Amino acid sequence: MASMNSSSRLVIGQYYPGTSFLQAAHPGFKIGLLFFYCIFIFHLTEIRQFLAVLPLTLLSFPVAGAPLRVILKGLAPLYFLLALTFLLHTFSPVGPTSGEVLGFGFSFEGIERGGFYCLRLILVVLGSSLLTITTSSIEITYALEKILKPLKPLGFPSQEFSLMLAISLRFIPVLLEEMEKLRLAQKARGASFSKGSLRDRARAYLSILVPLFHSAFERADRLAIAMEVRGFDPDRQRTSIHEYSLGRADLGLSLCFVSMIGLAILAHSLIN
């Protein structure tokens, strides 16, 4: 179980233990609420609605005990995708041309559209990050098993799938931290990842990928041995040491979600 640290470069997949109502809520309820949260975000049609929902979403992280500075730093891998999304929409032929940059025409409608899709992506990533930050891998496994249990009579391996997904989520920050260590080690040996020809930079990254894959397979092998030693049997019906039930924390989480919907409706009504 990986806890959050300041050297990690991605928010999704990290767990931050705490005592807030976000950590105490039922894990299955949180996964279900995330599903409806994403549907809600994709149904918003105005950029001001995103701006109304964003502060409450950001406020959820300090409530969970996760420093907002670390969260924003963890979004760094998305900056390139956000910049690309914004530029593609800014310079797309939408509405009357307002000006030119390096021979490419842009419009204010394109700028607004680029900001709209960037904010949508940020809110979805933040919502997904909030789930993994406040829910341990054991809780995610438990919740997914309960959610996918109706598919078991159809032959779907719900227990194996939920365990595989939970392990994959927890390996994301571990592998990213390992990649950062390898990059710094190769840089200390004189490797350059930003200078030289494309072929030289590809070779520099290849010096990271080979030991990274070796480390990933080695970790997976150690994990498989540890599970086998502990008597793990995928065909045996497993029970949970913790049984979760709905309570006040889930009610508080529901009120937060309803507040987001209310803010979006209020922003829409104020615009019109």
Side-chain angles (χ1 to χ4, degrees):
M1 192 186 308
S3 61
M4 181 178 291
N5 55 74
S6 58
S7 62
S8 298
R9 300 184 61 191
L10 192 65
V11 182
I12 295 179
Q14 302 186 56
Y15 172 57
Y16 198 94
T19 57
S20 72
F21 72 96
L22 295 171
Q23 279 93 348
H26 192 291
F29 183 79
K30 285 190 281 188
I31 292 177
L33 198 61
L34 174 63
F35 175 74
F36 288 108
Y37 170 82
C38 292
I39 293 177
F40 162 68
I41 293 299
F42 276 93
H43 271 77
L44 298 182
T45 57
E46 296 161 348
I47 193 170
R48 289 191 179 95
Q49 291 178 306
F50 288 149
L51 293 176
V53 172
L54 183 61
L56 188 56
T57 305
L58 292 175
L59 183 62
S60 302
F61 291 97
V63 170
L68 193 57
R69 175 182 55 84
V70 176
I71 303 302
L72 296 178
K73 184 179 179 182
L75 293 176
L78 293 174
Y79 290 164
F80 174 76
L81 179 60
L82 292 172
L84 182 63
T85 301
F86 182 77
L87 291 175
L88 286 176
H89 285 91
T90 298
F91 294 103
S92 61
V94 179
T97 302
S98 303
E100 289 188 359
V101 176
L102 299 177
F104 295 96
F106 68 90
S107 63
F108 290 115
E109 289 83 355
I111 294 175
E112 184 177 358
R113 189 175 179 182
F116 174 85
Y117 285 105
C118 286
L119 283 173
R120 173 185 282 180
L121 178 60
I122 289 173
L123 284 169
V124 170
V125 171
L126 287 176
S128 304
S129 304
L130 189 61
L131 172 68
T132 57
I133 282 173
T134 60
T135 314
S136 67
S137 57
I138 297 175
E139 292 173 337
I140 291 177
T141 304
Y142 172 88
L144 289 176
E145 283 184 8
K146 297 298 182 183
I147 293 173
L148 300 175
K149 193 174 182 179
L151 299 178
K152 196 170 184 179
L154 302 177
F156 184 80
S158 58
Q159 290 183 337
E160 292 81 357
F161 177 80
S162 58
L163 180 63
M164 177 188 66
L165 187 60
I167 292 175
S168 300
L169 282 173
R170 296 312 171 198
F171 260 82
I172 291 175
V174 173
L175 292 178
L176 286 175
E177 188 175 354
E178 185 74 18
M179 184 177 69
E180 183 66 15
K181 289 179 180 178
L182 290 170
R183 189 185 71 84
L184 292 175
Q186 293 297 328
K187 195 173 180 180
R189 294 183 176 94
S192 177
F193 299 96
S194 58
K195 298 179 181 180
S197 63
L198 184 62
R199 186 176 181 180
D200 293 335
R201 282 182 285 177
R203 285 180 177 177
Y205 278 105
L206 187 62
S207 66
I208 291 179
L209 292 178
V210 173
L212 182 63
F213 275 107
H214 179 269
S215 174
F217 286 125
E218 188 177 358
R219 288 177 184 273
D221 187 52
R222 289 202 302 265
L223 179 61
I225 293 174
M227 293 173 67
E228 187 175 358
V229 168
R230 288 167 173 81
F232 175 78
D233 185 359
D235 298 323
R236 182 180 298 175
Q237 182 66 30
R238 297 191 299 274
T239 58
S240 176
I241 191 172
H242 299 290
E243 289 296 332
Y244 302 93
S245 59
L246 297 177
R248 294 181 179 178
D250 303 285
L251 178 60
L253 197 57
S254 301
L255 291 176
C256 289
F257 183 61
V258 172
S259 300
M260 286 186 180
I261 298 176
L263 287 173
I265 295 174
L266 180 62
H268 176 74
S269 61
L270 289 177
I271 294 170
N272 296 330

